[in-house]
Each structure stands twice: as C-alpha cells, then as structure tokens.
Amino acid sequence: MERMTVFGRMVTLNRRVILAASLALSLAGCGSNLLNNKENAETHARPAIWQHQHQFVRIESQDRDSILVPANDHPANFSANLIRKMLDSLEVQFEGEAKPVAMFSPEELEILGAAVSRGLAQAGPREDVTFAIAGIHPRSGSRVISTGRLFVENDRLNLIIGALHEPYPESADPSGPLFAPGSRKYTAPDQGKTNAGWAIMGKIGMQHKTGGAIASDVVTRPDWLILNPTPDTFREATKMWEESAQYQSEQQKMHQKIEEIEQSIEQIKQTPASGAPATAAGPMELDNIEQRLQFLQQLKNKGLIDDAEFRTKKQEILDRF
C-alpha cells in the first residue's frame, strides 16, 4: 500500500515537472518572439534616408531566412562618388536587345550615391540598406522601377537585385512584391521569379555570388553582385569625375570670356565713326588689346578655338587698334 502511494506521488510529481518545463519553454518562446518583434519594429521605425512617393532608400534588418547570415561590416565608409561610380559601371543585357544598357540612369545614380553612402555609414552589423527607385530609361521610354539590397561584407559592396527595369504603374501597391528588395535566400529557377531575361555584364572588380542556402548548393547567383571598391578602375573613375567637373567649370568660364570679347567687338563695330581724325591709342587701350590677344592665344593653345577662329578674332581686335 505504501509502495502504491509513493508511486502515485512520483507520477504526480513527474507530471508537474513536465508541465512546468513546457510552460517555461512556451514563455521563453514568447519572450524570444517579443524581443524579435521589438527588434524588427525598432529597425523598421527608422525614418527613410530618402523618400519620394513610393520610392525610398532606407535601413532595415538583414533578411535571415533559412540561411546562416554573417554580420555585415557596418557601419561602412564608402563615399558618394565611389558608390555612384561602382553602380554606374553596371550594365545589363536584356533578352532580345542588341546592346547592353546602363542599369541606372544619371538621375538615379545621383540619388543612390548620396543616400546609400549615408545608409552604410549609419547601419549596424545586422542591418542592410534597401532601395526602390524609378526612372525613365531609353529602352523603355516610360518609368520603370528597380529595387535592391546593399551591404558591405569583407570590404566588398554586395548588391542583391530584386526588380530590374520593371514597369512602374501609378497604381502600384507599395507593399506588393514589386517593391521587395533582393533576398539572400536562393530560389531555384523552377520555383519562382529569377532574372527574368536579363544578365549583368561582367566588369573588372565585379563577381557573382556563388553558393546557395546549404554547402551542397553550387549555384551562381545572377542577381547577387559583389563589387570590389579597391580596383584602380573605380578609384580612377572617381578621380576623373572630379577632374571632369573642374574642367567643365573652367571651360564654362572660358566660354563666358569669349562671349564678352565677341560682345565687345560687336559694340565697336556698331559705334558710328566720327569725322575727327584718328588718334593714337593710349597706354590703357594698348594694355587691353594686348590682354585680349594673349587670351586668344591661350584659347588656341588649349584647343578651345581652331586656327581659323583665332585668325578671325585676332584680325577683329587689330582692326580696332
């Protein structure tokens, strides 16, 4: 009788232990979900870095679906010029098209360069920079949208493409799949949308991501690009862009000077001749003529005017003398 009583107590105790353990696990799971939800809510609560209607550049959590995702090298310091040039180097060949076209328009590059640079500098190790941006491209003639996910890993800029030059209707749902950025999760070609008839052209300093969700996956991701910011091609392109901006500024000043000279000559031509005898030019006037001749010679030396234009303008100045 005592043995039965002891056995009954042990069964009851075991049941209580199992119930308590189940309750603890349940609470732990709820707590974990609450923490994850709180983390995601805080991440998505970040204001967009750039936003125009449904278009955006923003910081959001890594997509950690079914694969072990390493932490990003964030925050990362990539200048706006460098990002612009890296993205500007990308060309896409669409199926049925004769030639590849630029992935991004100049207007899109201006926006993405500045906004992505800020986003990478502000993002944490478990955050990516995502974008949805629309523009008009020559091949389409109408507004198209491109989306993507950007992050830095091993000092390389990773770009996972979501949509690329997709038609952008005014009634597009901003929460729909059209605005979804690229995903780290690999989707086999027969299981959903892939590159939909396009291929990114190979460039120096660019490679495609190889490998899927598990080690046995040997795949090349057409939508996942890894860009190396250190090759001379990107650095030189950035330097050339800066020098080009300076040259354009100087050229604009030169054109203004030419216009001033032409206006001055035209005014001289329209001045009615007086009956008074011609007098010798004074020192101030001689200095002015000499300066104009020297300036014309500089324009010719820099290749901004040809020999015929040089002789014509020179003769006009000497005729004034």
Side-chain angles (χ1 to χ4, degrees), residues 164-228:
L164 184 58
H165 293 198
E166 294 287 344
Y168 181 39
E170 294 182 0
S171 59
D173 180 6
S175 62
L178 182 62
F179 290 84
S183 173
R184 290 175 173 84
K185 184 178 180 181
Y186 174 65
T187 302
D190 59 344
Q191 294 179 357
K193 182 179 178 181
T194 55
N195 60 334
W198 52 259
I200 307 300
M201 306 300 293
K203 297 287 183 179
I204 297 176
M206 185 203 86
Q207 66 185 81
H208 288 275
K209 174 71 172 179
T210 302
I214 58 177
S216 61
D217 284 339
V218 182
V219 295
T220 299
R221 295 280 299 270
D223 59 332
W224 188 332
L225 311 179
I226 302 175
L227 306 175
N228 183 357

Side-chain angles (χ1 to χ4, degrees), residues 42-285:
E42 289 176 353
T43 300
H44 291 294
R46 280 176 176 264
I49 298 170
W50 171 84
Q51 187 166 8
H52 176 68
Q53 296 178 346
H54 299 328
Q55 304 173 62
F56 63 84
V57 177
R58 65 190 179 205
I59 298 172
E60 62 179 67
S61 297
Q62 287 180 323
D63 59 326
R64 290 182 268 180
D65 250 355
S66 74
I67 57 175
L68 182 61
V69 178
N72 297 326
D73 298 335
H74 294 170
N77 184 20
F78 280 54
S79 71
N81 284 346
L82 181 57
I83 290 175
R84 179 168 49 244
K85 282 303 166 186
M86 293 171 74
L87 298 181
D88 189 29
S89 69
L90 301 178
E91 292 183 322
V92 55
Q93 178 68 59
F94 285 93
E95 186 177 355
E97 300 286 341
K99 297 180 180 179
V101 296
M103 184 181 296
F104 299 104
S105 69
E107 294 78 13
E108 291 172 330
L109 290 171
E110 287 297 321
I111 294 170
L112 290 175
V116 171
S117 176
R118 288 176 53 198
L120 294 176
Q122 297 174 15
R126 288 296 179 183
E127 293 176 319
D128 300 329
V129 177
T130 60
F131 67 87
I133 192 164
I136 298 177
H137 292 257
R139 65 175 292 270
S140 62
S142 58
R143 294 184 76 195
V144 293
I145 189 169
S146 299
T147 66
R149 179 181 300 273
L150 290 153
F151 55 92
V152 177
E153 183 180 312
N154 297 325
D155 297 325
R156 302 292 194 268
L157 181 65
N158 287 250
L159 166 61
I160 307 178
I161 302 167
L164 184 58
H165 293 198
E166 294 287 344
Y168 181 39
E170 294 182 0
S171 59
D173 180 6
S175 62
L178 182 62
F179 290 84
S183 173
R184 290 175 173 84
K185 184 178 180 181
Y186 174 65
T187 302
D190 59 344
Q191 294 179 357
K193 182 179 178 181
T194 55
N195 60 334
W198 52 259
I200 307 300
M201 306 300 293
K203 297 287 183 179
I204 297 176
M206 185 203 86
Q207 66 185 81
H208 288 275
K209 174 71 172 179
T210 302
I214 58 177
S216 61
D217 284 339
V218 182
V219 295
T220 299
R221 295 280 299 270
D223 59 332
W224 188 332
L225 311 179
I226 302 175
L227 306 175
N228 183 357
T230 57
D232 293 337
T233 50
F234 291 134
R235 298 295 182 187
E236 289 176 2
T238 303
K239 184 178 180 182
M240 287 176 60
W241 184 88
E242 293 172 349
E243 291 177 350
S244 173
Q246 183 178 1
Y247 173 76
Q248 290 177 1
S249 176
E250 293 178 355
Q251 193 175 38
Q252 188 177 6
K253 292 178 181 178
M254 290 288 187
H255 284 304
Q256 290 176 352
K257 284 287 186 182
I258 293 174
E259 290 178 0
E260 291 175 3
I261 292 175
E262 290 178 344
Q263 290 174 1
S264 178
I265 293 173
E266 191 64 29
Q267 289 175 359
I268 292 170
K269 287 181 178 180
Q270 294 176 0
T271 302
S274 62
T279 58
M284 293 291 290
E285 191 172 359

